[in-house]
Amino acid sequence: RLASLLIITQLVNQVTEVVVPFLVDRFLRAPRRSEKKEDPQEDKFRNQGSLPEFPGLFGEYIELLVQFGYLSLFSCVYPLTAVLLLLNNLTEIRSDAYKMCRLFKKPFSAPVGGMGVWQTAFEVLSFVSVISNCWLLLLSPRVRELGQESGFSGTNALLVAVLLEHVLILVKLLLALLIPDEPDWIRVKRERNEYKSMQALGQQT
């Protein structure tokens, strides 16, 4: 069920994101355009003004969040989730590039310092995934058989699952503290660029 749901969801996303806009552009908008292959490059750029506006990145972030949820929450139940998502993303790289370059106006990217609220959503989902995987492993028939063979009672197995969950969350927090969000070489390069920009601005004034 999980495999079929994952595959159907990714296929529906690909169709709604690329195939439907391509068909609309091909059969509804293309006959109205007088663009030819031998036209100058300036005319081709000018004709792009008739394309619809890019819908934004909200849908892309939602799709990534859903994929991360499938991978982090249920990978212990269906290990092929990572392979299916990898294949989907390899094809989506080209389909998104085609969509942004041919089916919509070129989007303008605003300078931002991070992912904003999406970073919090991914962090929360990563914590939930630790808890989910521990309890899914506890409820699996194979782990129950191993526990019964080794003489583990249900209470002891529950305590081990809770302990493992807390240990993994602690390891995650320690790694988040030890690994900086901005590597040193990037920080040095950014500060050097800011210093050069201030010097150039001072020379102009």
Side-chain angles (χ1 to χ4, degrees), residues 14 88-98:
Q14 292 280 3
N88 173 77
N89 288 333
L90 288 177
T91 59
E92 193 162 349
I93 289 174
R94 304 311 308 168
S95 62
D96 282 349
Y98 176 80

Side-chain angles (χ1 to χ4, degrees), residues 54-64 96 99-100 107-110 118:
F54 184 68
L57 296 177
F58 182 81
E60 305 294 331
Y61 274 120
I62 285 291
E63 185 178 357
L64 288 176
D96 282 349
K99 177 179 66 176
M100 297 175 68
F108 292 96
S109 57
W118 295 105

Side-chain angles (χ1 to χ4, degrees), residues 33-76:
R33 294 196 297 263
S34 58
E35 182 177 335
K36 299 179 182 178
K37 291 183 179 180
E38 59 271 12
D39 289 345
Q41 195 72 15
E42 293 80 4
D43 293 343
K44 294 182 179 179
F45 289 147
R46 193 176 298 111
N47 289 333
Q48 290 180 3
S50 62
L51 295 176
E53 295 286 343
F54 184 68
L57 296 177
F58 182 81
E60 305 294 331
Y61 274 120
I62 285 291
E63 185 178 357
L64 288 176
L65 188 65
V66 171
Q67 288 186 6
F68 182 70
Y70 275 119
L71 179 62
S72 59
L73 294 173
F74 307 114
S75 58
C76 67

Side-chain angles (χ1 to χ4, degrees), residues 5 34 40 42 47 56 101 156 184:
L5 180 62
S34 58
E42 293 80 4
N47 289 333
C101 295
N156 291 334
D184 290 337

Side-chain angles (χ1 to χ4, degrees), residues 1-2 7 21 28 56 67 102-103 108 111 136 139 150 161 168:
R1 290 182 180 179
L2 182 62
I7 294 173
L28 296 181
Q67 288 186 6
R102 299 293 298 273
L103 303 180
F108 292 96
L136 285 176
L139 295 175
S150 58
L168 291 176

Side-chain angles (χ1 to χ4, degrees), residues 68-140:
F68 182 70
Y70 275 119
L71 179 62
S72 59
L73 294 173
F74 307 114
S75 58
C76 67
V77 177
Y78 186 66
L80 287 179
T81 302
V83 178
L84 294 177
L85 292 179
L86 176 62
L87 294 176
N88 173 77
N89 288 333
L90 288 177
T91 59
E92 193 162 349
I93 289 174
R94 304 311 308 168
S95 62
D96 282 349
Y98 176 80
K99 177 179 66 176
M100 297 175 68
C101 295
R102 299 293 298 273
L103 303 180
F104 296 97
K105 292 180 182 179
K106 301 298 185 295
F108 292 96
S109 57
V112 294
M115 295 171 58
V117 70
W118 295 105
Q119 180 71 28
T120 305
F122 279 98
E123 289 288 341
V124 171
L125 191 57
S126 65
F127 278 103
V128 175
S129 66
V130 173
I131 302 172
S132 171
N133 280 283
C134 288
W135 291 105
L136 285 176
L137 288 175
L138 178 64
L139 295 175
S140 66

